[in-house]
Amino acid sequence: MGKLFEKFPDPLARLIVVFLALLVVGVIVVVVLIPKPMKDVEIQWADAVKREQARPVKYAGFHACADCHDKLYETKKTGYHRDLSCETCHGPAKGHTENPEKVKPVIPAERTFCPQCHAYNPSRPRGFPQINPVAHNPLKACASCHNPHDPKPPTTPKECSACHGEIARMKAVSHHVQLECTTCHDAPQRHKISPRAVKPSKPQTREFCGKCHGKDAKEKLAKNAEEKLAKNAPKIDMAEHGEKYVCWQCHYPHSPEVEQ
């Protein structure tokens, strides 16, 4: 071995000696010093199972709730919360099932509970019911309006302003105040239930605004209120005005400007 090292330069020989020393120390640490349970995965799994089995059982499972609360169970299993266990909202119920008179389940009444799932979060799927907890019925408990065992989509608002208040307030003082929202937007019924998944339409052609603002619109007979509005609306030459652009790309339709 000595003659072998004599063939190497001194720095390399010293490096090899240090490497071998560290290797020997590492082997000793792994083989002798580290306890076997820390190296054997099966032992670790067995210990983990023993620890979990030793912990007290707190959850009863949702089938246990059905034994006494069969009507609520039947109501919930067909509703939007059908995939939630009762204990998701009411907490561990093992103690309640064993002594229902003494141990009562938790009834979440604070407003911070439901927003854990329903507060607006852009990462959640489109159509999932989401709210702004600050603006949505402040100070009211969620269960005062929504049945948690059979939550349904909120009552469909009759007016667009129920959701689009800012636009409604702007339109109320604009030259389009006498137009219904549905004059320009086709809003499917499903938009009122899933507003993020089903959007209302927007006018996609120049000819749509031209029905009122085209220079030949005044020639139409004013049979109804909208045609009367069209007759008196500012007129432009559709062939020369705006070129290829759709009108709302330059004019904000909810508060259109008018040249005097």
Side-chain angles (χ1 to χ4, degrees), residues 3-108:
K3 293 182 179 179
L4 178 62
F5 279 106
E6 289 175 355
K7 297 180 180 179
F8 298 137
D10 287 345
L12 179 59
R14 286 195 290 271
L15 183 60
I16 293 175
V17 171
V18 170
F19 174 77
L20 293 175
L22 292 176
L23 181 62
V24 171
V25 171
V27 171
I28 294 174
V29 169
V30 172
V31 176
V32 178
L33 298 182
I34 296 179
K36 187 177 180 181
M38 295 182 64
K39 297 180 291 186
D40 192 326
V41 175
E42 292 186 358
I43 294 177
Q44 295 174 11
W45 284 355
D47 290 343
V49 171
K50 288 180 181 177
R51 285 196 300 271
E52 292 301 318
Q53 289 178 336
R55 298 175 65 176
V57 177
K58 296 182 179 179
Y59 290 88
F62 67 95
H63 292 299
C65 304
D67 293 341
C68 299
H69 307 283
D70 54 334
K71 292 184 178 178
L72 290 177
Y73 177 83
E74 292 297 324
T75 299
K76 191 180 77 66
K77 78 175 186 179
T78 57
Y80 285 92
H81 279 175
R82 57 185 175 274
D83 294 328
L84 292 182
S85 170
C86 303
E87 291 166 300
T88 302
C89 300
H90 294 292
K94 180 69 173 177
H96 175 64
T97 58
E98 296 173 347
N99 192 346
E101 296 297 328
K102 185 177 180 180
V103 181
K104 299 295 182 181
V106 175
I107 299 178

Side-chain angles (χ1 to χ4, degrees), residues 122-133:
S123 66
R124 289 184 171 129
R126 285 188 172 185
F128 185 82
Q130 299 183 71
I131 61 160
N132 180 340

